[in-house]
Amino acid sequence: MAFLTVNQLTHAYFSTQSVTTALENISLQVEEGEFVSFLGPSGCGKTTLLSLIAGLMPPTIGTVKIQNENVQKAHNQIGYMFQQDYLFPWRTIEENIFIGLKIQHKLDKMSKTFALDLLEQLNLEHTRTKYPHELSGGMRQRIALVRTLATQPVLLLLDEPFSALDYQTKLKLENLVFNTLKEHQKTALLVTHDIGEAIAMSDRVIVFSANPGKIKSIHTIPSELQKMEPFEVRNHEDYKHIFQTIWEELNELEVEN
Amino acid sequence: MKSKIDIAYEQYIHQERRTKRNVLFTQFLLFVLFVGVWELASTQNWINPLLFSSPSRISELFINKIGDGTLLVHIAATTGETLASFVIATIFGTACAAILWWAPFVSKVSDPYLVVLNAMPKVALGPILIVALGPGYISIIAMGVLISFVITTLVVYAAFHETDQNYIKVIETFGGDKKQVFQEVTLPAAIPTIISTLKVNVGLSWVGVIVGEFLVSKKGLGYMIIYGFQVFNFTLVLLSLFIIAILATFMYTGVGMLENRWRKR
């Protein structure tokens, strides 16, 4: 049995004037420890899919199962990273990284030590008593990563977490997140519209078409590239070919629409 | 040896200090001029001394009233009533806003009623309050509360409502419930708005309390004004006005300090 199973998922948004189908008949499976990317044009329902997997809202039709259990409401064991850090400006960094533990009533000496160790691993221990506005965008996103990992989630959902950063910071953070997740053996889903990022970070890339969101194709990245750090992958020869294939596919999608 | 930057910096600091001094000096000069001209105009009968009184008569009355202890009683009564209505209106208004945020159905149902309540001149309810609550300090505090709590509710509710959805989503992804969302995000995010409504409420509470005292009371600064008006003692009226202005400024400054302290965090 797969770690995560999405079974014939369809989701629609309602307003009094209209019905918008965001996702149609999505089925996919993700194994434990796998890193899967969702790639597609805007409006293909990628974020909707993450929200459904996180249990933030119930799907219109279909089911999501994590470790063979139906996801009904927000799952304690999911970590979610957003496009921006969304650190609470009125809390210090330390209070920010403890927030998940506090919400889940798991704030004790052990969990605190774990969170602070993570902060140290990312070379951020000097920021403990600072406030978010005193730090740079890259640092804040790294702290958001610590906040997400502090609750020890089994599944990480990354919703374009690098899109608001400058290019250099983005490349560095890709490596950092990749290594951190591999080290802690996390299963992760990444939503992105950056083809390079998807190839560099994932084991599999799932391409979506838009209006309504459907799975168009699935690309398995060669195992050699899977093991490499994202930055190395970007310099690898095969990278270009895969990039080219997906690029053409996405272009076709645009023409179809 | 001093570098050129140091010299330029010293000049800049010097200039800033001079500007500040000049502003303070001009402010002081204006005050002295105002009091002086007023006194002169009154003694020379350029203005009607019966109506406009004069600074010397007001300060004389002030010293007299402080001496016999009556002024302090009036000040204490009004300050107490104002503070009470200010605190009650803020807490009550914020609580109502929280209920509206918590239950969208209640908020939708009450929307037109709140609009009417807000548009209504609350002072007009004075006579009803007095009959219902009796001619005492309770009516006066109720007046002060009534005048400021509706606007507090509306403004704070708007702030609760406009909380960035993504911050709420952060709490929800950790499995937080609505109570936790309120505690950890909605309320702290709205604190700056709540503090700025405090500033508005200071002014409104004074209006409510003074009007309340006009209508019923036997003591307080509003009573002093209405009494002075009835016996045609405008020195008394003006004295009350000055004291109200000073007290209101103190309260406003206090709220301002609170705001600064929050900002620094």
Side-chain angles (χ1 to χ4, degrees), chain A residues 82-254:
Chain A
F82 299 84
Q83 279 179 37
Q84 276 157 36
D85 52 80
Y86 295 111
L87 297 175
F88 299 106
W90 55 84
R91 292 170 172 276
T92 60
I93 297 310
E94 188 178 82
E95 288 163 348
N96 262 298
I97 62 172
F98 290 159
I99 184 75
L101 297 166
K102 192 178 168 196
I103 295 291
Q104 295 173 7
H105 308 291
K106 289 198 295 204
L107 196 61
D108 55 28
K109 214 173 174 185
M110 237 174 70
S111 62
K112 274 184 184 176
T113 315
F114 179 77
L116 291 173
D117 280 349
L118 274 172
L119 198 67
E120 207 177 319
Q121 277 170 37
L122 301 192
N123 293 319
L124 288 163
E125 67 272 26
H126 62 283
T127 62
R128 260 180 80 169
T129 54
K130 292 197 169 151
Y131 284 93
H133 67 88
E134 298 173 78
L135 308 176
S136 69
M139 278 170 129
R140 291 167 59 144
Q141 196 55 293
R142 265 147 69 201
I143 288 158
L145 176 67
V146 174
R147 173 177 71 184
T148 309
L149 292 175
T151 55
Q152 309 204 26
V154 292
L155 176 63
L156 264 123
L157 306 176
L158 312 170
D159 190 356
E160 302 188 35
F162 312 116
S163 60
L165 303 169
D166 62 85
Y167 195 65
Q168 211 167 354
T169 314
K170 171 190 164 111
L171 291 183
K172 280 189 199 157
L173 263 188
E174 279 178 14
N175 265 14
L176 179 83
V177 169
F178 179 86
N179 289 327
T180 314
L181 295 191
K182 282 281 174 278
E183 190 186 323
H184 294 269
Q185 295 170 334
K186 301 289 184 199
T187 314
L189 303 179
L190 170 73
V191 159
T192 181
H193 48 234
D194 179 337
I195 305 172
E197 184 174 285
I199 301 168
M201 294 197 71
S202 346
D203 303 328
R204 262 193 301 160
V205 178
I206 301 181
V207 179
F208 281 74
S209 62
N211 302 322
K214 281 186 203 162
I215 294 180
K216 164 87 176 162
S217 62
I218 299 176
H219 301 260
T220 305
I221 306 298
S223 58
E224 192 192 350
L225 294 191
Q226 285 184 14
K227 286 182 199 114
M228 286 184 184
E229 285 190 337
F231 192 74
E232 290 173 48
V233 177
R234 283 179 191 265
N235 292 322
H236 196 276
E237 208 157 299
D238 292 348
Y239 170 83
K240 278 179 235 155
H241 303 302
I242 306 169
F243 191 100
Q244 198 62 31
T245 322
I246 297 180
W247 166 259
E248 275 161 19
E249 212 171 276
L250 284 172
N251 271 344
E252 273 170 39
L253 281 178
E254 256 176 41

Side-chain angles (χ1 to χ4, degrees), chain B residues 34-241:
Chain B
F34 174 70
V35 173
V37 168
W38 184 5
E39 181 70 40
L40 190 71
S42 187
T43 47
Q44 299 294 318
N45 263 325
W46 297 341
I47 54 174
N48 185 350
L50 197 60
L51 190 57
F52 293 104
S53 191
S54 73
S56 57
R57 278 205 247 167
I58 293 172
S59 42
E60 202 179 313
L61 183 67
F62 176 71
I63 291 162
N64 270 338
K65 288 242 163 211
I66 286 280
D68 66 11
T70 49
L71 188 60
L72 280 180
V73 174
H74 291 304
I75 291 179
T78 304
T79 311
E81 285 158 1
T82 309
L83 280 176
S85 68
F86 169 70
V87 170
I88 293 171
T90 305
I91 294 174
F92 189 48
T94 307
C96 284
I99 291 169
L100 294 181
W101 177 82
W102 191 275
F105 184 76
V106 175
S107 128
K108 278 177 191 155
V109 170
S110 58
D111 184 56
Y113 297 101
L114 281 173
V115 171
V116 171
L117 261 181
N118 189 38
M120 171 134 177
K122 263 73 72 180
V123 180
L125 295 174
I128 300 174
L129 276 183
I130 293 162
V131 175
L133 299 173
Y137 66 94
I138 295 181
S139 300
I140 297 171
I141 293 174
M143 192 78 234
V145 170
L146 201 62
I147 229 169
S148 50
F149 108 88
V150 181
I151 191 73
T152 307
T153 304
L154 290 176
V155 173
V156 175
Y157 171 66
F160 283 163
H161 196 67
E162 279 158 22
T163 315
D164 191 334
Q165 284 301 314
N166 287 300
Y167 284 117
I168 293 175
K169 209 171 160 187
V170 169
I171 300 296
E172 283 175 350
T173 57
F174 286 124
D177 55 25
K178 199 157 185 173
K179 191 177 141 220
Q180 286 172 316
V181 167
F182 186 75
Q183 274 174 0
E184 305 296 342
V185 186
T186 314
L187 186 61
I191 293 280
T193 312
I194 293 174
I195 291 177
S196 61
T197 64
L198 292 184
K199 279 187 167 172
V200 177
N201 286 355
V202 170
L204 289 176
S205 297
W206 277 100
V207 174
V209 166
I210 296 298
V211 169
E213 286 181 350
F214 278 3
L215 291 174
V216 288
S217 114
K218 298 269 177 292
K219 59 185 175 193
L221 296 166
Y223 164 76
M224 267 170 68
I225 292 178
I226 219 74
Y227 178 77
F229 161 65
Q230 280 164 353
V231 300
F232 224 73
N233 179 355
F234 277 85
T235 309
L236 189 62
V237 173
L238 286 168
L239 175 63
S240 323
L241 271 178

